[in-house]
mmCIF file of all heavy atoms in Angstrom:
data_model
loop_
_atom_site.group_PDB
_atom_site.id
_atom_site.type_symbol
_atom_site.label_atom_id
_atom_site.label_comp_id
_atom_site.label_asym_id
_atom_site.label_seq_id
_atom_site.Cartn_x
_atom_site.Cartn_y
_atom_site.Cartn_z
ATOM 1 N N GLY U 40 -10.057 23.694 18.533
ATOM 2 C CA GLY U 40 -10.016 22.793 19.681
ATOM 3 C C GLY U 40 -10.574 21.422 19.377
ATOM 4 O O GLY U 40 -10.306 20.456 20.100
ATOM 5 N N LYS U 41 -11.348 21.315 18.295
ATOM 6 C CA LYS U 41 -11.905 20.022 17.893
ATOM 7 C C LYS U 41 -11.695 19.737 16.419
ATOM 8 O O LYS U 41 -11.373 18.616 16.037
ATOM 9 C CB LYS U 41 -13.399 19.958 18.214
ATOM 10 C CG LYS U 41 -14.022 18.607 17.859
ATOM 11 C CD LYS U 41 -15.478 18.522 18.248
ATOM 12 C CE LYS U 41 -16.056 17.153 17.890
ATOM 13 N NZ LYS U 41 -17.487 17.038 18.267
ATOM 14 N N THR U 42 -11.868 20.758 15.589
ATOM 15 C CA THR U 42 -11.766 20.572 14.144
ATOM 16 C C THR U 42 -10.565 21.318 13.584
ATOM 17 O O THR U 42 -10.369 22.497 13.883
ATOM 18 C CB THR U 42 -13.040 21.072 13.440
ATOM 19 O OG1 THR U 42 -14.171 20.357 13.953
ATOM 20 C CG2 THR U 42 -12.951 20.844 11.939
ATOM 21 N N VAL U 43 -9.787 20.599 12.785
ATOM 22 C CA VAL U 43 -8.627 21.189 12.117
ATOM 23 C C VAL U 43 -8.963 21.335 10.642
ATOM 24 O O VAL U 43 -9.468 20.395 10.020
ATOM 25 C CB VAL U 43 -7.377 20.293 12.258
ATOM 26 C CG1 VAL U 43 -6.160 20.979 11.632
ATOM 27 C CG2 VAL U 43 -7.110 19.945 13.708
ATOM 28 N N THR U 44 -8.711 22.498 10.080
ATOM 29 C CA THR U 44 -8.850 22.682 8.639
ATOM 30 C C THR U 44 -7.467 22.994 8.069
ATOM 31 O O THR U 44 -6.658 23.664 8.713
ATOM 32 C CB THR U 44 -9.809 23.834 8.293
ATOM 33 O OG1 THR U 44 -9.345 25.045 8.902
ATOM 34 C CG2 THR U 44 -11.209 23.531 8.778
ATOM 35 N N GLY U 45 -7.213 22.477 6.887
ATOM 36 C CA GLY U 45 -5.905 22.726 6.306
ATOM 37 C C GLY U 45 -5.726 22.035 4.980
ATOM 38 O O GLY U 45 -6.699 21.633 4.325
ATOM 39 N N SER U 46 -4.475 21.906 4.585
ATOM 40 C CA SER U 46 -4.166 21.305 3.292
ATOM 41 C C SER U 46 -2.850 20.547 3.392
ATOM 42 O O SER U 46 -2.064 20.742 4.323
ATOM 43 C CB SER U 46 -4.057 22.386 2.213
ATOM 44 O OG SER U 46 -3.032 23.311 2.532
ATOM 45 N N VAL U 47 -2.637 19.683 2.421
ATOM 46 C CA VAL U 47 -1.386 18.934 2.350
ATOM 47 C C VAL U 47 -1.036 18.727 0.890
ATOM 48 O O VAL U 47 -1.922 18.502 0.057
ATOM 49 C CB VAL U 47 -1.486 17.576 3.088
ATOM 50 C CG1 VAL U 47 -2.541 16.680 2.449
ATOM 51 C CG2 VAL U 47 -0.140 16.885 3.126
ATOM 52 N N LYS U 48 0.241 18.855 0.569
ATOM 53 C CA LYS U 48 0.707 18.645 -0.797
ATOM 54 C C LYS U 48 1.579 17.401 -0.845
ATOM 55 O O LYS U 48 2.466 17.222 -0.013
ATOM 56 C CB LYS U 48 1.496 19.852 -1.297
ATOM 57 C CG LYS U 48 0.643 21.074 -1.566
ATOM 58 C CD LYS U 48 1.470 22.205 -2.151
ATOM 59 C CE LYS U 48 0.600 23.418 -2.462
ATOM 60 N NZ LYS U 48 1.411 24.529 -3.042
ATOM 61 N N VAL U 49 1.320 16.565 -1.838
ATOM 62 C CA VAL U 49 2.067 15.324 -2.033
ATOM 63 C C VAL U 49 2.694 15.340 -3.413
ATOM 64 O O VAL U 49 2.000 15.560 -4.409
ATOM 65 C CB VAL U 49 1.142 14.097 -1.888
ATOM 66 C CG1 VAL U 49 1.930 12.815 -2.117
ATOM 67 C CG2 VAL U 49 0.476 14.088 -0.521
ATOM 68 N N LYS U 50 3.996 15.120 -3.478
ATOM 69 C CA LYS U 50 4.702 15.115 -4.750
ATOM 70 C C LYS U 50 5.009 13.674 -5.154
ATOM 71 O O LYS U 50 5.564 12.904 -4.370
ATOM 72 C CB LYS U 50 6.008 15.914 -4.644
ATOM 73 C CG LYS U 50 6.751 16.046 -5.954
ATOM 74 C CD LYS U 50 8.007 16.878 -5.785
ATOM 75 C CE LYS U 50 8.753 17.020 -7.105
ATOM 76 N NZ LYS U 50 10.021 17.759 -6.951
ATOM 77 N N VAL U 51 4.635 13.330 -6.381
ATOM 78 C CA VAL U 51 4.908 12.000 -6.934
ATOM 79 C C VAL U 51 5.708 12.201 -8.212
ATOM 80 O O VAL U 51 5.152 12.458 -9.266
ATOM 81 C CB VAL U 51 3.604 11.228 -7.232
ATOM 82 C CG1 VAL U 51 3.933 9.814 -7.693
ATOM 83 C CG2 VAL U 51 2.710 11.193 -6.021
ATOM 84 N N GLY U 52 7.038 12.133 -8.105
ATOM 85 C CA GLY U 52 7.875 12.409 -9.263
ATOM 86 C C GLY U 52 7.640 13.845 -9.725
ATOM 87 O O GLY U 52 7.769 14.785 -8.949
ATOM 88 N N PRO U 53 7.255 14.024 -10.983
ATOM 89 C CA PRO U 53 7.048 15.383 -11.514
ATOM 90 C C PRO U 53 5.676 15.963 -11.197
ATOM 91 O O PRO U 53 5.395 17.096 -11.531
ATOM 92 C CB PRO U 53 7.196 15.175 -13.022
ATOM 93 C CG PRO U 53 6.675 13.791 -13.228
ATOM 94 C CD PRO U 53 7.109 12.995 -12.021
ATOM 95 N N VAL U 54 4.812 15.184 -10.566
ATOM 96 C CA VAL U 54 3.435 15.610 -10.337
ATOM 97 C C VAL U 54 3.214 15.926 -8.858
ATOM 98 O O VAL U 54 3.606 15.156 -7.982
ATOM 99 C CB VAL U 54 2.438 14.514 -10.783
ATOM 100 C CG1 VAL U 54 1.006 14.948 -10.504
ATOM 101 C CG2 VAL U 54 2.627 14.204 -12.260
ATOM 102 N N THR U 55 2.585 17.074 -8.567
ATOM 103 C CA THR U 55 2.230 17.442 -7.201
ATOM 104 C C THR U 55 0.719 17.430 -7.056
ATOM 105 O O THR U 55 -0.001 18.038 -7.841
ATOM 106 C CB THR U 55 2.774 18.841 -6.845
ATOM 107 O OG1 THR U 55 4.205 18.826 -6.930
ATOM 108 C CG2 THR U 55 2.372 19.227 -5.433
ATOM 109 N N VAL U 56 0.237 16.702 -6.050
ATOM 110 C CA VAL U 56 -1.189 16.601 -5.775
ATOM 111 C C VAL U 56 -1.467 17.327 -4.462
ATOM 112 O O VAL U 56 -0.811 17.065 -3.456
ATOM 113 C CB VAL U 56 -1.644 15.130 -5.661
ATOM 114 C CG1 VAL U 56 -3.144 15.055 -5.407
ATOM 115 C CG2 VAL U 56 -1.278 14.363 -6.929
ATOM 116 N N ALA U 57 -2.428 18.246 -4.476
ATOM 117 C CA ALA U 57 -2.784 19.002 -3.280
ATOM 118 C C ALA U 57 -4.159 18.565 -2.789
ATOM 119 O O ALA U 57 -5.097 18.414 -3.576
ATOM 120 C CB ALA U 57 -2.782 20.499 -3.577
ATOM 121 N N TYR U 58 -4.266 18.340 -1.490
ATOM 122 C CA TYR U 58 -5.537 17.998 -0.865
ATOM 123 C C TYR U 58 -5.936 19.114 0.100
ATOM 124 O O TYR U 58 -5.085 19.713 0.755
ATOM 125 C CB TYR U 58 -5.429 16.700 -0.055
ATOM 126 C CG TYR U 58 -5.201 15.465 -0.863
ATOM 127 C CD1 TYR U 58 -3.907 15.032 -1.158
ATOM 128 C CD2 TYR U 58 -6.268 14.687 -1.318
ATOM 129 C CE1 TYR U 58 -3.690 13.881 -1.898
ATOM 130 C CE2 TYR U 58 -6.054 13.526 -2.048
ATOM 131 C CZ TYR U 58 -4.770 13.135 -2.335
ATOM 132 O OH TYR U 58 -4.549 11.996 -3.060
#
Side-chain angles (χ1 to χ4, degrees):
K41 182 177 181 180
T42 301
V43 184
T44 57
S46 60
V47 62
K48 289 184 178 180
V49 179
K50 184 178 180 183
V51 185
V54 178
T55 298
V56 181
Y58 293 90

